[in-house]
């Protein structure tokens, strides 16, 4: 229902703003821009997102099917089972969904977005198989989605690369703040969702698991922070892609060892890729078109200017407000937020406070509304319950943490 109200609100606001501009100022350009944006976003959703995703989905769902037949997914499920059983009590300890979720989280952490989406959609389908109410999101699906939208990533390679392109003196200087920001968002999202679902996080398994992850990330940050940008990029590219290629090869060889007809099993899994991509098209078109209408009518600018006025009136240091467009756009559109991040670095400079803070905002969360539409749409979930609320609260915490980190490191 939350998506329903958001969808209606975006179009209603766009109509009111555009028509008010026409009546008050004789502005016909806004009406034209909104309609052109609707048509453009419809095309982008299908041509630039859904169809390219179909190829990636086809390949990786085929590989996942091979991995399941080889027993690799079950091995991952057994390894992570004790920890996940505390966070996802509805899922049997050795269920394949555990392995699929860990592959999704792992791909996200390594910055392998193209691989993370098929793994995540497959995990959502496995969770849907366990869901007793097929049109309503289960607790397990909400927990998985919220953790996914928190956007935990070890090395924000695309942000570092963009800073290098724009001539930043030290492109990787936002690396540690970005990782800390996304980790804070993930932990907060976990705590809020666990509280909502009445899950006890203060048990030995969860505390040790989170403590171990925190320690590993801390050591990794300490090691990488002393390396030059070129080495960080090399490690990210080589390690991330090596892990992915290793998984693919091990799945294939494992299936061969078990005397599985590998190519036939691959084809059986791959057939689901195109079907899934077609199934999610209406959800992508609806959400991206609504977001486009909200942006092109000027409502986003009014919202940002209103927040800037409130901050200035309160006497708080308002230097961060010029980077707020990135933070506000991030839950709606990843590409839109990226464009605003680049615009901020271009206008104020990549080494300015605003330029760096925009990068932290970009790296501290993921596109909540887009991911909800994509993942729940792929399995026919109509009632998202509290998933969007928790995701947006976590995003807000991420923004606050990002502002704090920006002032701490760069102001």
């Amino acid at each position: 229902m939350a998506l329903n109200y958001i969808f209606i609100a975006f179009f209603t606001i766009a109509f009111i703003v555009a028509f008010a501009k026409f009546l008050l100022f004789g502005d016909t350009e806004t009406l034209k821009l909104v309609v052109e944006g609707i048509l453009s976003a419809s095309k982008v959703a299908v041509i630039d997102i859904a169809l390219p995703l179909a190829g990636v989905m086809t390949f990786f769902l085929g590989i996942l099917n091979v991995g399941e037949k080889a027993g690799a997914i079950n091995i991952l499920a057994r390894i992570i089972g004790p920890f996940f059983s505390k966070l996802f009590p509805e899922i049997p300890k050795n269920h394949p969904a555990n392995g699929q979720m860990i592959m999704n989280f792992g791909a996200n952490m390594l910055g392998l977005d193209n691989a993370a989406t098929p793994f995540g959609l497959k995990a959502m389908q496995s969770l849907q198989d366990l869901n007793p109410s097929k049109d309503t999101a289960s607790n397990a699906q909400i927990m998985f989605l919220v953790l996914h939208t928190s956007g935990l990533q070890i090395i924000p390679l695309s942000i570092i690369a963009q800073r290098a392109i724009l001539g930043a003196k030290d492109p990787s200087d936002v690396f540690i703040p970005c990782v800390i920001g996304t980790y804070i968002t993930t932990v907060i999202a976990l705590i809020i969702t666990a509280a909502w679902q009445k899950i006890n996080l203060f048990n030995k398994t969860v505390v040790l698991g989170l403590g171990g992850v925190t320690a590993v990330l801390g050591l990794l940050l300490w090691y990488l922070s002393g390396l030059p940008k070129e080495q960080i990029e090399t490690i990210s590219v080589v390690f991330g892609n090596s892990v992915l290629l290793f998984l693919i090869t091990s799945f294939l060889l494992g299936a061969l060892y078990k005397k599985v007809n590998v190519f036939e099993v691959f084809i059986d899994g791959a057939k689901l890729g195109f079907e899934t991509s077609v199934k999610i098209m209406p959800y992508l078109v609806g959400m991206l078109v609504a977001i486009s209408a909200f942006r092109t009518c000027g409502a986003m600018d009014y919202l940002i200017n209103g927040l800037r006025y409130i901050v200035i009136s309160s006497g708080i240091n308002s230097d961060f407000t010029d980077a707020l467009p990135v933070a506000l756009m991030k839950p709606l559109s990843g590409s839109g937020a990226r464009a605003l991040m680049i615009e901020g670095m271009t206008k104020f400079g990549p080494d300015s406070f605003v330029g760096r803070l925009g990068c932290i905002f970009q790296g501290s969360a993921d596109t909540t509304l887009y991911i909800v539409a994509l993942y729940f749409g792929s399995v026919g979930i109509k009632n998202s319950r509290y998933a969007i609320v928790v995701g947006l609260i976590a995003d807000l915490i991420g923004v606050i943490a990002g502002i704090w980190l920006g002032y701490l490191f760069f102001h």
Side-chain angles (χ1 to χ4, degrees):
M1 293 300 293
L3 278 179
N4 177 50
Y5 295 131
I6 291 170
F7 182 72
I8 295 171
F10 279 171
F11 279 109
T12 303
I13 292 170
F15 173 76
I16 292 172
V17 171
F19 203 64
K21 285 183 175 181
F22 171 68
L23 290 178
L24 297 175
F25 309 112
D27 180 0
T28 60
E29 189 67 18
T30 299
L31 289 166
K32 176 186 174 185
L33 289 174
V34 171
V35 173
E36 288 179 348
I38 287 172
L39 299 176
S40 176
S42 300
K43 178 183 176 182
V44 167
V46 175
I47 303 299
D48 296 341
I49 297 179
L51 289 182
L53 180 61
V56 178
M57 287 288 298
T58 298
F59 175 73
F60 279 106
L61 288 185
I63 290 296
L64 267 177
N65 199 41
V66 173
E68 289 179 3
K69 299 299 182 184
I73 303 298
N74 288 331
I75 292 173
L76 284 174
R78 284 197 295 271
I79 293 172
I80 202 68
F83 178 71
F84 270 22
S85 66
K86 304 298 183 183
L87 301 183
F88 302 91
E90 302 170 6
I91 306 175
K93 286 186 178 181
N94 297 328
H95 194 276
N98 290 319
Q100 293 157 3
M101 284 190 291
I102 199 63
M103 290 182 70
N104 168 261
F105 294 144
N108 263 332
M109 290 175 71
L110 296 173
L112 303 172
D113 296 338
N114 287 339
T117 300
F119 294 154
L121 290 174
K122 180 64 174 176
M124 185 60 73
Q125 181 59 62
S126 295
L127 295 175
Q128 180 71 347
D129 293 340
L130 297 171
N131 186 6
S133 181
K134 300 303 181 185
D135 64 345
T136 302
S138 66
N139 284 345
Q141 287 174 313
I142 292 173
M143 176 66 82
F144 168 62
L145 191 83
V146 169
L147 291 177
H148 179 68
T149 59
S150 65
L152 182 61
Q153 189 175 348
I154 295 176
I155 301 178
L157 183 60
S158 62
I159 295 174
I160 293 174
Q162 191 61 60
R163 287 180 55 74
I165 291 171
L166 293 176
K169 184 177 180 181
D170 182 5
S172 60
D173 59 5
V174 298
F175 161 60
I176 291 179
C178 280
V179 177
I180 294 175
T182 188
Y183 187 63
I184 290 173
T185 304
T186 301
V187 172
I188 292 297
L190 172 61
I191 292 172
I192 294 173
T193 310
W196 210 304
Q197 297 181 3
K198 295 181 172 57
I199 295 173
N200 178 24
L201 296 179
F202 296 99
N203 61 76
K204 183 179 178 180
T205 303
V206 174
V207 171
L208 287 176
L210 290 178
V213 170
T214 302
V216 170
L217 282 177
L219 288 172
L220 185 61
L221 286 174
W222 173 76
Y223 171 69
L224 292 176
S225 64
L227 300 179
K229 174 189 75 71
E230 292 76 12
Q231 276 189 264
I232 293 176
E233 291 182 1
T234 300
I235 290 173
S236 175
V237 171
V238 172
F239 183 70
N241 288 288
S242 296
V243 169
L244 184 60
L245 189 58
F246 170 76
L247 285 174
I248 293 171
T249 306
S250 61
F251 285 1
L252 296 175
L253 293 178
L256 181 65
Y257 175 77
K258 288 201 169 186
K259 297 182 171 55
V260 173
N261 187 329
V262 176
F263 192 68
E264 183 178 313
V265 170
F266 170 82
I267 296 299
D268 288 340
K271 289 177 182 177
L272 298 173
F274 188 76
E275 295 174 14
T276 302
S277 297
V278 171
K279 190 174 182 179
I280 65 177
M281 278 186 192
Y283 296 90
L284 290 179
V285 171
M287 184 50 60
L288 292 181
V289 167
I291 291 169
S292 173
F294 182 76
R295 288 179 59 193
T296 53
C297 75
M300 177 66 79
D301 294 332
Y302 293 143
L303 177 60
I304 292 166
N305 290 333
L307 290 173
R308 182 181 289 114
Y309 176 78
I310 292 172
V311 171
I312 293 174
S313 300
S314 66
I316 300 173
N317 185 294
S318 61
D319 292 352
F320 70 90
T321 56
D322 287 314
L324 276 182
V326 181
L328 295 176
M329 182 57 65
K330 186 63 177 180
L332 305 176
S333 168
S335 58
R338 186 178 299 108
L340 290 171
M341 176 190 74
I342 294 171
E343 180 184 334
M345 286 193 287
T346 302
K347 181 178 179 180
F348 295 94
D351 291 325
S352 66
F353 175 69
V354 172
R356 286 163 165 160
L357 183 57
C359 293
I360 297 173
F361 285 150
Q362 177 71 3
S364 295
D366 214 328
T367 49
T368 299
L369 295 183
Y370 168 81
I371 291 173
V372 169
L374 175 67
Y375 279 66
F376 282 170
S378 71
V379 293
I381 293 291
K382 295 180 175 60
N383 183 1
S384 61
R385 298 169 67 201
Y386 51 87
I388 293 177
V389 173
V390 174
L392 292 178
I393 291 174
D395 288 340
L396 176 60
I397 299 297
V399 170
I400 295 171
I403 294 171
W404 170 69
L405 289 166
Y407 278 95
L408 179 66
F409 279 86
F410 303 118
H411 198 273

